[in-house]
Each structure stands twice: as structure tokens, then as C-alpha cells.
Amino acid sequence: MLSFEPLDTGLEVVDAVEGRRYVLDSSEPLSPEPADPDRFRFPVDSAVEVETSELRLVEPVEGFVREAAGDPVLQVSPGTRTDLPSATYSVELNAPVKLYLRVDGPLTVDATADLMTFRFDPPVLVGARSYHHHPAATVTTTDDPRDVFAAVSTLSSALKTTSPERSYPTLRGHPPLVERGDELRIPDELTAPETGVRIELPPTLRAAAVAAPLSYYLGAELVPGDDPRLVVDGDAHSLAGPPGFERNVERTLKRAFLLDCLVRTEGYYQVDLYEREQVASDVDLDFASLYDASLAERLDATLAVPFETLAPHVPRWPLVAHVDPTPEAVAVLPFVAYDLGVVRTEDARRASPDEVQSSVLDAYLGQRRGGAGDESEDDPPFVALGDADAVEQVWFGDGVPLDATKGIPAAFHNDLRRDVDPASIDITVVCNEYEMAPEQAVAETVYGSREQLPFDVTLRRDCSTDELRAILASSVDLLHYVGHVDDDGFRCRDGTLDAGTLDSTGVHAFLLNACRSYEQGVALVEAGAVGGVVTFSDVVDSGAVRVGRTLARLLNLGFPLRSALQLAAGESIVGGHYLVVGDGSVDVVQVEDGIPTLCDVETAGSEYDVTPVTYPSREAAVGTMAYPLVGSNEQHFLAPGELATFRLSEPELREYLSTHGSPVRKDGELVWDDPP
């Protein structure tokens, strides 16, 4: 649900489903009146008309101005100062809630690094579109692989276009859900696009799981066949042979996606894209012609380019999902496909105690370029996953994965059912351990420090079992628990509370900074939570405090759980004892600059090499463009991943950091403005 709330001087746009908000500032009170969304060139969910001659953005975002037909006029960036003649304009703003302004008349655009101003003749129309996508329907399938093929083939019904623009996350809708039943049932309203592409595979559950994200993105039907191959307008391309079926599917997805990202710069967003510039010199492709070509024609063109040529320019992939090819696993495929995750079924095995210790140590040392102890018979087995160049690896099988997210299918369904209160972001910090009070003190200072967001932070100390049970039953966006957990549950002043005894929980996300909190975290997800950070072994209090306070800072900046943990793990040798359970992409608050970004700074004599590193989020999934406001940069980059490296003087670096809310890693170590 989208709403427009008048302020004393401006208008607040609220997305109640996603818990996102954005303020359009004005010099006067505004009285929004409902307007027809169809008056906008691009789709909006809701619209209002306001009588004002100026709107300001005190948190500038990327913007584009277009003519009435959608043709680009200019990109709005710091330093833009333009007076446009009288016409009908559409102003697109990539804020936490997608915004559009419709202006009829002259338009003045004046943008600096910390203020963006639009002036026009009143009235102005303001339209908004939520980034949230719910599945449109549910498909039921039997365990027969041929029925599973038919179910997977419906995933692409959620695509909003088959043009190159589907590489933008906002034009890839959420696939329908898939559940098991006694017969195949596909709702009549689910219609997959006609693309001239099909994927022929041996009829197995493994083949269906591996091919699901590729089928979704290409609008390709899965059909039984003797050998795995991709058929494009009758021409067959083998998916067998080196480096193997799973890797060939992965390479095909990444190639098709990258080419769409390059070609789409011929369309509505004619920007200077760094990756296009790099690829253009290595390939013989007519991007303008390919933009108007069919999906099958573009796919043929990209398959003619060796993967090795394109691989260096593919954005860092958001997800590698390790899936057991069982009937139960079919239900997670729509969620993996929505993230364009790569599916693997072969790269997991039980880990030895030595490998567990090595993983813990690597998590600490790897960020800066004790051991986990012996595995008990009562502990769940540890699982070692293969290497993957991805932001997140998720394991959906039995056991505890090392350096990966423990995927729990219930988490994704919990997220679809959650009820967000847009009035505030509710964070509860519970400290049941005196020795870890410094972490609570930091959390008290950090959470709620962003002035533009409505935080409600509650601090609780030395809770009883009844008090903690009441907290877990309440609606909380983030529970940050500091204390001890033993075999019986959360340790409280009068005993222990086992989360496994809860019928339900209102907690959305959680950080259980306690020894061996894994089982309690899993129980919270199964009771209704979406995801959280837990430990799989004992952690030293001092190290846990360092990790906990870093996680608090990163979550407060809008980093998702998994990305926040990756960065925080390097703060202490105990960082490798932590993992995410549930959905690793869950966040607590919106990102100030739209894309979670780490500013990586390396000292270079009297100057500094600055590399912005972007991470995926709900609003900034793979395919989003980043436009770093650093130095003299005038190029866009594909996110997520490392962008270009910029050489800055000390004054230039200070100016850059002063206008961004990003965390900073200087010479391999995270540094903060506020005291620890």
C-alpha cells in the first residue's frame, strides 16, 4: 500500500508493504489530492496532485528527465543546472520508493551533491511505484519430473517484458509459487511469453532445479530430451560437455543477462555504461540493432561470444543456491529464480573439524588482506560448499554450512506474509549478560541515528522468561539479543526460554549474539521470522562485542544480513563462528543512497585509491546501475560488485566521505566516525 502524507513543508511518500519512505521537501505545506495514475508515461501504483512550484530532495537520488513519449532529455546528477522550455516532462527518481513527477510547462533542474531542486508551474503530479512484488499465483505439481518441468516453465509468466529492459530488477516480477500436490494444476492466468526458446533436458529433478533461473529469465519452456541443450528458433546449443551441465547453464544465464544490460543503453536509459565501453572493444556486436531484435536473436548473438570474453564484465553474482534435488526442494525454486540465483547440486560435502577451524580463521584473515573446536556428536553436521564468486551462498539441505547462509524455505513465505507498520521501525535490544553491556551501549547509540527515518528503539536488561516471551511475540523489525544461550534456550534471570516452544513470533529479523544460538535462530524462523544472524559454537565475549557492534552499524545503514555479516566477520577471529539463517537478503531499514556501498580506501603515498563496492538489496538487485559521485566520474556501473578505483587527494577524499553515509574500510580495516 502506497500513501502520500502531507508534512509541514513537503510530502512524504510511504510504502507500507516494504516499510520504505521518502520525503519531497517544499517551502510550504502541501495538500495532496488523488490523481489518475494513467496520466503517467510509466506505470505507477498511486498518484496525487499538489499545488506547489518547487520540490526539493535533501537526500539526492539518481534522476532522469524525459519527454512525454519517454525519450530521454537529461540525466540529473550533481552539477546539473538546466532550464527546459515549456512541454510535458516525466521526471523519474530512483528513490527507496520509485517516484515520478509529471510537469506540464517549463522545468528548471538544479542539482548539487546534497540537494536536488525541481521548479515548475503548479500543479505537479507525483506518482509512486512500490519495488515490492508478490507472486501472482501458486502452481501445484506432483513429484514427477515432467510435471515439475511444466511448473518451472510458468516462472517466466512474471516477466514484465522480454526486451533488454528485463535486466532491470523492477521489470522482473516475482515468479508464481510452486507447491507439491497430487496433480499438476496451473492457474489459467499464468501465461509464459512466446520467445522461441526452449531448454531440452533429461527429465530429472536435478535438471529442473539447475535450469529454473535460466528458464525464468529467458522465458524458455523446459521439455524432456535425451541431452541437455538450449534450442533457439530451432538452432541447438549443447549444455553438456566441459565445464559440465551446471556450469554451462550458469554461463548461459550470465552471458544473456550481461548482453541485455549492455544493449538496454540504446533504450530509455542512454547512459555511459562502463561495462559496455569495456566489452565493445572486444566483440563485434551492433548494440543498436540488437536492442530492436527479438529475445531469440539477442540470445543467438551472445552465445556466439566466448564466455571468457564476457566473464570479467559480469557483475558479481548475488546468489549461488545449493539445492538437494528432492521433491521438497522444488518449492524454493521461485525464490532462487527471482534473485537470478545460480543453482548447484554437486558442490557440497560434510566438513571435517579441521575444515571448520580453517573456515573460522579464513573469515577473519580474509577481511584483512580461535578455532571452532571439535565437533560434538550432538551438533548438526557441518557442510563445506564449493567456491563461488557470489555475494551469498545459501545451503538448503541438512546441516550447518560453513561461510554460507542456512536457507530455510519457511523464511521466504514468512516474508510474503509479514505485516509492516510504516509508522516506525521497531528495534528491541535485549542485554541479558552484564559482561556484554558495551555492545548494548553501542547499539543504543547507533540504532535510530538516521534523522530521516522513524525509529522506535526499546532497551531491555536482564529479562525474565515471561518478559522475553512477550518480546518475541510482539511485532519487532529487529531483535538484537546480547547474552547467553545454552542447550535449553535463551538464558534469563529466572531460567531459560526455548524458542522451539513458541507458537509464533512477530520478530522480522534478529541478531542473536550469544554462544551456540543456531538452534534458537532456526526455531525463530520456523515460528515466523524471516532471517537472522546466529553462532554455531562458543564465542568469546570481547570478540562477540566487536562483531555485534559492527553488525549494528551496518544494519542501521541498510545493509542486508548476509552482506553485513561478511564485513563484520573480519572484526574478530570469532567472526567465522557466525552465520545467517533464513533469508540472507533481509534488511531492517532502507539504504540512504539506494545501493548498499562500502568505500574501500587504500593509502597510496600522499593520495588514496578509493573503490566503491556495491551490494545487492531489495531496491538494488543485480542489474541495477550505480553512479558513484566520486572524483570526475561520469560513468555508470553495473551492481553489485567492485566499481572502478579512483585516485583522490586527501581533501577530495574528505569531501567524498562527507556526502555519503557509506561505511569505510581503510587499508583493510573498518573505521567509523563515532567512538567504539
Side-chain angles (χ1 to χ4, degrees):
M1 178 185 296
L2 287 169
S3 62
F4 299 85
E5 308 294 337
L7 304 175
D8 290 341
T9 56
L11 185 70
E12 184 174 47
V13 187
V14 179
D15 181 351
V17 174
E18 284 295 282
R20 302 304 200 231
R21 59 186 63 237
Y22 195 77
V23 173
L24 297 171
D25 199 20
S26 180
S27 57
E28 57 190 332
L30 301 180
S31 300
E33 295 293 335
D36 183 1
D38 291 337
R39 294 182 65 186
F40 287 85
R41 173 66 177 81
F42 296 96
V44 299
D45 297 324
S46 186
V48 294
E49 183 178 88
V50 292
E51 288 286 341
T52 186
S53 59
E54 180 179 286
L55 289 174
R56 297 186 298 270
L57 283 62
V58 295
E59 290 187 348
V61 297
E62 187 175 43
F64 297 89
V65 178
R66 308 182 192 282
E67 295 178 342
D71 296 327
V73 175
L74 73 107
Q75 173 194 342
V76 183
S77 58
T80 300
R81 177 63 176 84
T82 304
D83 294 311
L84 298 175
S86 182
T88 296
Y89 297 103
S90 173
V91 180
E92 177 182 354
L93 301 172
N94 293 328
V97 183
K98 188 80 169 185
L99 296 177
Y100 293 91
L101 309 179
R102 175 179 164 134
V103 175
D104 292 303
L107 172 64
T108 295
V109 181
D110 190 356
T112 64
D114 53 8
L115 183 65
M116 188 177 291
T117 304
F118 298 93
R119 300 184 184 90
F120 35 73
D121 292 339
V124 63
L125 297 183
V126 181
R129 184 174 75 238
S130 174
Y131 287 103
H132 186 79
H133 299 289
H134 266 91
T138 299
V139 176
T140 303
T141 178
T142 71
D143 295 344
D144 186 323
R146 287 173 171 79
D147 286 345
V148 175
F149 275 25
V152 169
S153 297
T154 68
L155 300 184
S156 62
S157 63
L159 294 177
K160 300 184 179 183
T161 180
T162 59
S163 76
E165 275 83 13
R166 78 188 188 289
S167 55
Y168 288 112
T170 55
L171 294 177
R172 301 190 299 268
H174 198 299
L177 301 180
V178 178
E179 64 181 21
R180 299 168 69 195
D182 55 5
E183 65 176 343
L184 177 67
R185 291 190 293 272
I186 299 175
D188 293 338
E189 65 266 26
L190 296 183
T191 303
E194 294 288 340
T195 63
V197 181
R198 70 177 186 272
I199 304 173
E200 297 180 359
L201 301 169
T204 66
L205 293 180
R206 175 192 175 226
V210 171
L214 182 63
S215 171
Y216 163 67
Y217 186 72
L218 295 184
E221 181 184 9
L222 296 191
V223 298
D226 294 332
D227 298 306
R229 61 180 192 167
L230 181 67
V231 182
V232 184
D233 279 346
D235 295 330
H237 304 266
S238 177
L239 294 172
F245 166 59
E246 295 191 1
R247 296 301 195 274
N248 283 326
V249 170
E250 175 183 347
R251 289 181 170 195
T252 302
L253 174 60
K254 291 180 177 179
R255 277 196 285 183
F257 179 81
L258 177 63
L259 183 67
D260 281 343
C261 290
L262 307 184
V263 169
R264 72 190 187 191
T265 57
E266 296 288 338
Y268 290 115
Y269 300 88
Q270 296 180 8
V271 300
D272 184 359
L273 184 66
Y274 172 81
E275 287 79 6
R276 171 168 169 169
E277 177 185 279
Q278 299 300 305
V279 171
S281 60
D282 295 331
V283 300
D284 183 20
L285 294 175
D286 185 339
F287 293 108
S289 297
L290 287 173
Y291 179 80
D292 295 319
S294 67
L295 183 151
E297 290 170 332
R298 289 196 309 277
L299 184 56
D300 264 335
T302 192
L303 291 174
V305 180
F307 178 73
E308 292 74 15
T309 301
L310 300 178
H313 311 291
V314 174
R316 192 178 185 207
W317 216 246
L319 180 69
V320 170
H322 298 262
V323 177
D324 274 341
T326 62
E328 294 79 9
V330 173
V332 306
L333 296 181
F335 301 101
V336 175
Y338 184 45
D339 286 336
L340 293 189
V342 169
V343 174
R344 293 184 182 172
T345 65
E346 301 174 333
D347 287 353
R349 57 180 174 77
R350 184 164 180 150
S352 68
D354 286 344
E355 287 177 305
V356 176
Q357 291 191 2
S358 177
S359 175
V360 168
L361 189 59
D362 286 347
Y364 174 64
L365 296 178
Q367 289 294 327
R368 298 181 178 274
R369 299 178 258 272
D374 293 332
E375 185 179 337
S376 165
E377 292 182 359
D378 297 329
D379 290 333
F382 289 100
V383 179
L385 305 179
D387 294 334
D389 184 16
V391 175
E392 178 181 14
Q393 290 200 78
V394 57
W395 168 249
F396 283 104
D398 295 330
V400 181
L402 296 176
D403 195 27
T405 294
K406 167 69 174 182
I408 302 174
F412 302 91
H413 293 276
N414 294 342
D415 191 33
L416 295 176
R417 291 191 293 265
R418 75 186 182 106
D419 185 18
V420 178
D421 180 6
S424 66
I425 299 166
D426 295 311
I427 297 176
T428 298
V429 182
V430 174
C431 184
N432 273 9
E433 176 53 51
Y434 175 78
E435 286 79 2
M436 298 180 70
E439 179 177 336
Q440 184 193 27
V442 171
E444 182 178 357
T445 302
V446 169
Y447 291 131
S449 60
R450 292 173 57 186
E451 296 180 358
Q452 296 294 327
L453 298 178
F455 284 92
D456 185 0
V457 182
T458 301
L459 305 176
R460 302 291 297 274
R461 296 180 177 85
D462 200 20
C463 288
S464 68
T465 53
D466 286 344
E467 290 170 341
L468 183 57
R469 185 182 294 273
I471 290 171
L472 295 176
S474 62
S475 180
V476 178
D477 292 297
L478 174 67
L479 169 66
H480 186 146
Y481 176 84
V482 182
H484 287 297
V485 169
D486 55 32
D487 292 341
D488 296 323
F490 294 92
R491 191 183 301 173
C492 301
R493 70 169 185 264
D494 60 347
T496 55
L497 173 63
D498 182 5
T501 65
L502 300 174
D503 293 329
S504 64
T505 181
V507 172
H508 173 55
F510 53 86
L511 165 56
L512 305 185
N513 204 6
C515 295
R516 298 182 181 272
S517 58
Y518 171 81
E519 296 290 351
Q520 295 301 305
V522 170
L524 285 178
V525 172
E526 292 175 342
V530 179
V533 176
V534 298
T535 64
F536 60 72
S537 63
D538 294 337
V539 290
V540 179
D541 285 351
S542 58
V545 169
R546 286 195 295 274
V547 173
R549 67 192 184 196
T550 301
L551 282 169
R553 285 162 162 154
L554 292 168
L555 294 176
N556 188 65
L557 291 173
F559 276 70
L561 290 177
R562 181 58 190 168
S563 301
L565 180 56
Q566 285 179 348
L567 294 173
E571 293 298 279
S572 168
I573 197 168
V574 305
H577 296 253
Y578 291 76
L579 76 156
V580 174
V581 295
D583 181 0
S585 69
V586 65
D587 57 25
V588 180
V589 300
Q590 66 196 45
V591 184
E592 183 175 310
D593 294 334
I595 303 177
T597 304
L598 167 72
C599 182
D600 215 339
V601 179
E602 293 288 338
T603 303
S606 62
E607 296 182 307
Y608 300 90
D609 287 335
V610 178
T611 306
V613 184
T614 58
Y615 294 83
S617 67
R618 291 179 181 273
E619 294 89 358
V622 62
T624 299
M625 290 187 298
Y627 186 72
L629 304 177
V630 53
S632 58
N633 176 61
E634 295 183 351
Q635 288 186 308
H636 285 72
F637 299 80
L638 293 178
E642 290 187 2
L643 310 186
T645 297
F646 303 89
R647 179 65 60 90
L648 301 181
S649 65
E650 182 173 333
E652 290 173 330
L653 176 61
R654 291 185 180 278
E655 180 181 0
Y656 171 64
L657 296 179
S658 68
T659 57
H660 292 75
S662 304
V664 177
R665 185 168 60 197
K666 184 175 182 293
D667 296 327
E669 183 175 354
L670 287 173
V671 294
W672 306 92
D673 288 337
D674 56 311

